[in-house]
Amino acid sequence: MYFTHAITRLPADSVASGLTTSNIGAPDAELTRQQFRNYVDILLGLGLTVTTLPAEPDYPDSHFVEDTAVMMPELAIITHPGAPSRRGEVETIAPVVSRFRHTVRMSSNAHMDGGDVLMIDKQFFIGLTSRTDEAGIREFAAAVEKFGYSVTAIEVGAGLHLKSIVNYVGRNTVILSEDSVDHPAFRGFNQIVLAKEEEYAGNTLWINDTLITPSGYPDTLKKLKTLGLPIIETDTSEIRKMDGGLTCMSLRF
Ligand code: CIR
């Protein structure tokens, strides 16, 4: 998949009021924005056209745009996010996404965060988590299967989202937590297994055969280097404080 565009949203001053389970302190709003700007610069450097939406102070998690939609070449699904405080975020994302794709909107009986949706070619692996339920996966599957996609549900025991612990990093390889290694869904891929203390770095983003990875995770970096792809490290200290990572801050297509 070659990406040409990304949609992002500027973090609001209210960022520290968002949802988090991290217990590693409150993020600094200005440093969050700086880390966000660095991220956007990396996307621009990789040749993507980036649409950055204005901050939404009433939605302190709204710069985690990945959770509000799932983009694919044929269509986009506008999700019904699992956390009640985040549901309003889709109202301002939907019109922007619909400039680029035909959109299908999930019903309010179903729940899904885009952070649970891992797309590898024509396969979707979708985490069953506190944010994404079976009804969400059923509605999603009904919308995409006619375009030849397969959908596999994955029970996620720990971590916020599936992509908190499993991501595709190119070259038929997934990076994943120790706990996910034996999952049959990932047996067909080469595997880079995260050290327990570096699990956060599993949220590495593969864009146009370049890897963007959080800085400060030396064991993961060493393992990623074996793929032979260009790697860009960037600091996500403030993003992490709100359970966010690199995939969360953009919709790529
Ligand atoms: C939340 O709990 O919803 C946000 N604080 C973090 C969302 C991170 N999103 C993602 O990993 N896709």
Side-chain angles (χ1 to χ4, degrees), residues 19 61 64 66-67 86 115 131 160-161 242-244 248:
L19 302 169
D61 284 311
F64 298 125
E66 174 178 65
D67 295 319
R86 300 200 56 192
R131 302 290 179 87
L160 179 62
H161 289 128
M242 301 310 294
D243 285 348
C248 334

Side-chain angles (χ1 to χ4, degrees), residues 15 18-21 60-68 83 85-86 89 113-116 131 160-164 203 239 241-249:
V15 59
L19 302 169
T20 187
T21 58
D61 284 311
S62 58
H63 53 298
F64 298 125
V65 289
E66 174 178 65
D67 295 319
T68 58
S85 66
R86 300 200 56 192
E89 294 175 27
D113 279 9
D116 279 315
R131 302 290 179 87
L160 179 62
H161 289 128
L162 176 66
K163 284 189 287 190
S164 311
N203 197 259
I239 312 300
K241 289 174 181 170
M242 301 310 294
D243 285 348
L246 292 164
T247 66
C248 334
M249 290 193 289

Side-chain angles (χ1 to χ4, degrees), residues 74-92:
E74 301 85 352
L75 78 160
I77 310 283
I78 305 296
T79 66
H80 184 236
S85 66
R86 300 200 56 192
R87 293 196 183 135
E89 294 175 27
V90 298
E91 303 310 330
T92 48

